[in-house]
Amino acid sequence: MLPDEAIGKADRQNEKVIRKQNLRWKGRKMERLTLEKAKEINAQMVTEEHLILHAANVSAAMGAMAEHFGEDQEHWEAVGWLHDYDYEKYPEEHLAHTEEPLRALGVPEEDIRAILSHGYGICTDVEPVTNLEKSLFTVDELTGIVQAAARMRPNGITDMEVKSFMKKWKDKRFAAKCDRPLILKGCEMLGMDIRDVSAIVIEGMKAHARELQLTGNDTE
């Protein structure tokens, strides 16, 4: 069998597995999206390591935001993990292939809405209105800058303080692809200062430093 034929066969087999899984879940409305279930669903669509790592970063940050607001930490982590469900396969149509598939898998409507809202003004018109939605909108980009800053430190994120992070934040050339105006817009929605949101996100990511590959020189 030629290599291309082998790859094609593997892809078809993967698609069959996913279809079977979808049929098993279809119509089963979840009472609550758990982190375990979010990881299971996300794994159907997301295979690239950097995207899985991004999901983990956002999940950790969302857990910290939930704790700040006195909400269900695991639930917010689950929404964070699942937020880029369709991005790998549809980067140019991000969030256009999310709503119906997740609904078919029984994901609660409020969680689907939260996921769609993180693309507000970019690829959706779903405005963030709850603290969960506003937090997801904000930390999605913010975690990218935190991650980049942590990777430059000998001890990674483990001893990062918000004061040192803000120096990187103010340098517009650093992690320039991360949308700072969008992050500030999210902070405004939350009624919080960027310094305060950053402190929460940093602490949330510290708690998962090894999983996020942010322990510094001993990461490997």
Side-chain angles (χ1 to χ4, degrees), residues 142 149 160-171 180 184 193-196 198-199 202:
L142 180 56
M160 181 188 285
E161 301 295 335
V162 70
K163 182 178 180 180
S164 63
F165 169 74
M166 290 307 296
K167 292 178 182 178
K168 295 296 185 184
W169 165 266
K170 292 174 183 177
D171 181 359
R180 285 168 168 80
L184 290 174
D193 184 77
I194 179 59
R195 178 179 293 270
D196 297 326
S198 297
I202 289 168

Side-chain angles (χ1 to χ4, degrees), residues 198-218:
S198 297
I200 293 169
V201 168
I202 289 168
E203 290 306 309
M205 291 172 67
K206 276 184 184 180
H208 298 269
R210 187 162 296 281
E211 175 190 359
L212 302 180
Q213 303 173 20
L214 296 178
T215 56
N217 293 336
D218 68 341

